[in-house]
Amino acid sequence: MGTEKLQAFAPDGIIFGHGNKRYRLNEQWSKADVSRFPVNDCHEMVQDKKGRIILLTNETKNNVLIYDKSGKLLNTWGTEYPGAHGLTLFNEGGDDVLFICDNNRHQVIKTTIEGQVLLTLDYPKETGAYTKADEYIPTETTIAPNGDIFVVDGYGKDFVIQYDAQGKYIRHFGGRGEEPKHLRNAHGICIDNRNGTPELMVTSREQNAFKRYTIQGEYIGTIAMPGAWVCRPVIKGDYLYAAVLQSSSNLWKQSGFITILDKQNKVVSNLAGSEPIYVNGQLQEMYQTIKVFSYPHDVCIDDDECIYLAQWNSGKVYPYKLEPVG
Amino acid sequence: MIRSIWIVVQILFFAQIIFAQKQYQLAPPLAGFASVFFDKNTTLSLEFNQPGSSIRCTTDGSEPVATSQLYQEPLIISQNSIIIKAKSFATGFIPSETIAFQFFSKGKPIANISSSAPSPKYAGNGSSTLIDNKSGGTNHGNHAWLGFDSDSVVFNLFLEKGTGVSKVLLHGLNNQGAWIFPPARVDVYSVEENTTLLLKSQSFKTIKESTTEAKPLWIDLPATTVKQLRMVVFPLAALPDWHPGKGSKAWLFMDEIKLY
């Protein structure tokens, strides 16, 4: 009994992850005053060109919280985004702009970094696939170097919808179905430039996978992520990082972790998750091992290679920071 | 006196240092098995890929503790309704929550089954879903489950020949947050040519539960030989007062029916 009691206390400075992608956790990163600047679900985070960390929450007292890297709150804005979900930053001719996906408003809103609205995209009638706004619940965007906007309708019909920089519809692809090119819970999207030719990397979360497409929307292949409800793919350097909302083996029980893939899209590290194991080239089912995160929803990797973690439905916690261990 | 106060202060001081450290709980092991329903036997494998950890398990329904059987190799299951419980342990961590699985052996052969129409969204693979030996786990959205939102559900089970039956297993889901409850009542009839005989009418109490779990419901029958059994299952007509959907009809989800 005595030993069991002692075992109940984790050793100091626990390190999460595997191989050369290991991190120390700081749960007290945010210095925001919770009574003045509350958060609800912390959905997504990005870093701007000034090095600031920008958080999007569906708390309409302050939808956007802007921090410095040490966790000091610098500024907040936004009260009109009740369904604030997706946050993407794009450097548009030297200026940072933001794209917000709002689940409740069924819209994508482009703003300046200070929150001034520049463009609003309504539900994509042009596709012919939608009859009303309610059917469209966009979760995430990515912006091509030429300004083309790609939206994933991850809680709606799972299409990827491409617009030009002015918001003119170009095409749509993905959607639901039984073929490999189809998506189920297309929760996130990014442009992957790691191998020379830009490709789209799209989440198919309920299928525990990322799917690759050309910029023109032709399906290339699937990266199986067995057991992992992967959220948005985030590329930094040669690596792809993703928050894993939960483990398939333990659904709706705060079983999330963080996963990291190398340039060959091989999982090299899971933070608070099982060590990635490949048998004959097949990745084995992954799962949470330590209950340190609840429902990870997005990661942001800053210019120091630190990870910031935003969580959904996790007791309104502020983001955590994870610093790499040398 | 002062000395003893000083000792208490010291104890409190050290206790604070210990308690100030963040304690983390382990996640449960990953379980692998084909189905909780088996013909002759089945295999349960467990893994927990975290350095320094171990998996402890029990086969008698008791809660695993640090001194329970150490899991080393897959367990061969052959005993009907056996419950395996498992838990992860590691020095420096709070042990995981317990995971539990109950396995069911092959019952009396059922040649065919018919069923009231399930909700189109949860129609599985038709009525044979209930005799295909596949378990649905806890995700009611998969094809191993049939979901019903009607006032009553009728199952007809056809046996190849007259067979002695003394027990019915209805394997269903309990996910109260998703309005899925065990039934309120089950009536079991023996059907022969033109006669229908009520063998048993059994009511079930609604118990508040927070975990999502597939569970057996047992109905003991007076020993009888039957060629056809009819079951009329009454889902809970009104969700209890403590439930957010109080007064509304509950859902019924079933993945397997067995006769013993």
Side-chain angles (χ1 to χ4, degrees), chain A residues 239-251:
Chain A
Y239 292 92
L240 185 156
Y241 302 74
V244 176
L245 186 81
Q246 59 178 347
S247 310
S248 287
S249 58
N250 209 9
L251 291 175

Side-chain angles (χ1 to χ4, degrees), chain A residues 4 6-12 14 16 18 25 27 249-251 253 272-277 284-292 320, chain B residues 18-19 21-31 47-51 65-66 89-95 97 99 138-139 211-212:
Chain A
E4 241 192 289
L6 278 179
Q7 285 177 2
F9 304 101
D12 227 357
I14 182 167
F16 295 98
H18 303 103
L25 174 66
E27 294 181 29
S249 58
N250 209 9
L251 291 175
K253 285 186 175 173
S274 58
E275 188 184 342
I277 293 174
Q284 303 300 295
E285 182 170 349
M286 301 182 287
Y287 48 92
Q288 183 193 48
T289 53
I290 301 173
K291 295 189 81 72
V292 54
Y320 296 163
Chain B
I18 293 168
F19 281 92
Q21 286 189 6
K22 182 82 188 181
Q23 43 180 309
Y24 293 118
Q25 187 182 22
L26 296 175
L30 179 70
E47 67 165 86
F48 190 65
N49 194 3
Q50 167 76 18
V65 292
F89 290 85
T91 305
F93 293 93
I94 302 169
E97 65 173 74
I99 50 167
T138 54
N139 178 8
T211 51
T212 299

Side-chain angles (χ1 to χ4, degrees), chain B residues 68 153 181 204 212-213 220 227:
Chain B
S68 297
V153 180
F181 279 71
F204 299 92
T212 299
E213 215 179 342
D220 287 316
K227 274 200 79 174

Side-chain angles (χ1 to χ4, degrees), chain B residues 76-90:
Chain B
I76 311 290
I77 315 279
S78 58
Q79 188 192 327
N80 188 27
S81 80
I82 191 171
I83 298 174
I84 312 288
K85 290 189 174 179
K87 203 164 173 156
S88 317
F89 290 85

Side-chain angles (χ1 to χ4, degrees), chain B residues 161-195:
Chain B
K161 54 180 196 297
T163 305
V165 174
S166 61
K167 211 186 253 289
V168 175
L169 164 68
L170 296 175
H171 201 260
L173 189 64
N174 197 5
N175 180 357
Q176 300 185 350
W179 298 33
I180 301 169
F181 279 71
R185 197 179 100 215
V186 179
D187 293 348
V188 184
Y189 299 88
S190 159
V191 182
E192 207 159 338
E193 312 268 320
N194 300 322
T195 53

